[in-house]
Amino acid sequence: MLKIKLEPDTAQKFSALAAEYDTTVSALMRIALHRFHETPGRYKHPMLREADRTGLSDWVNVMVNPSSKQQIWRLAGRYGDKLNTALLRVALRRLLDEPGDLTTDLETIAPLRDLRPEIYPARANVHFDPPLRDKLDALAARVGSDRAELMRLAARRVLDEPGLIEQAVNREIFRSEKNKAHLMARHARRQVRRRTLHD
């Protein structure tokens, strides 16, 4: 997620262009960055002018590929700190000035997943029952992902809501007959402690 600060009229043009093509501002921004990376041309002076621009009052949130973000950060960093969003505005204004064949780009560029190889040094083996595994694989195929990526997403979501972790763990333990008696005994002990504390 990136936040871009624009003048109100530019933000309106951006939103209107997305509405015209029945798409999102994020999809248009991915196209703008792709085009910029393909033919960056002379961008130093336009970027510096963007950095000095006033009247930027509207924030626009866009989702871009991590590799595109890193390339913009690297190119902007050649000329000083904190020019990243200025260079994003340069790419966006070029798109607004010359929309070109957006219909084709929306089909071929906007949906592309980030193709950088991701390296995860830690590994965990997770055992599934067949129905859960099949559902996970079907979901991965439907969204163009894979089982490992969905598992990382699930882990992040659980960690973002730690209050749900114990409930989820308990549900999984209850699924095992071997652990059910132990879990029930632990739950009973906790209930007794809670009642004792309140008394």
Side-chain angles (χ1 to χ4, degrees), residues 17-121:
L17 186 63
E20 179 183 347
Y21 283 86
D22 192 25
T23 187
T24 64
V25 292
S26 291
L28 292 183
M29 195 66 214
R30 288 194 288 274
I31 292 172
L33 290 180
H34 176 82
R35 291 181 180 180
F36 181 85
H37 293 319
E38 290 291 303
T39 54
R42 296 179 179 271
Y43 65 86
K44 176 182 176 181
H45 295 298
M47 178 179 65
L48 295 177
R49 284 195 297 271
E50 284 295 333
D52 292 333
R53 190 183 289 270
T54 58
L56 306 174
S57 58
D58 286 25
W59 287 102
V60 178
N61 295 324
V62 292
M63 294 288 290
V64 302
N65 294 332
S67 57
S68 295
K69 174 184 170 183
Q70 287 187 355
Q71 284 179 279
I72 284 289
W73 265 223
R74 179 176 54 80
L75 291 172
R78 295 176 180 177
Y79 301 100
D81 296 333
K82 301 181 180 176
L83 292 174
N84 306 327
T85 54
L87 191 49
L88 289 173
R89 289 198 297 272
V90 170
L92 173 57
R93 290 187 201 283
R94 289 183 182 180
L95 179 75
L96 293 176
D97 290 342
E98 296 183 26
D101 187 2
L102 280 178
T103 301
T104 298
D105 284 352
L106 283 166
E107 292 177 357
T108 60
I109 296 172
L112 285 180
R113 299 174 51 75
D114 195 71
L115 301 179
R116 285 181 313 144
E118 294 182 279
I119 300 173
Y120 297 97

Side-chain angles (χ1 to χ4, degrees), residues 110-140:
L112 285 180
R113 299 174 51 75
D114 195 71
L115 301 179
R116 285 181 313 144
E118 294 182 279
I119 300 173
Y120 297 97
R123 183 182 182 88
N125 290 324
V126 181
H127 297 276
F128 298 101
D129 57 44
L132 179 58
R133 179 203 59 205
D134 294 344
K135 284 181 182 178
L136 193 63
D137 289 345
L139 177 61

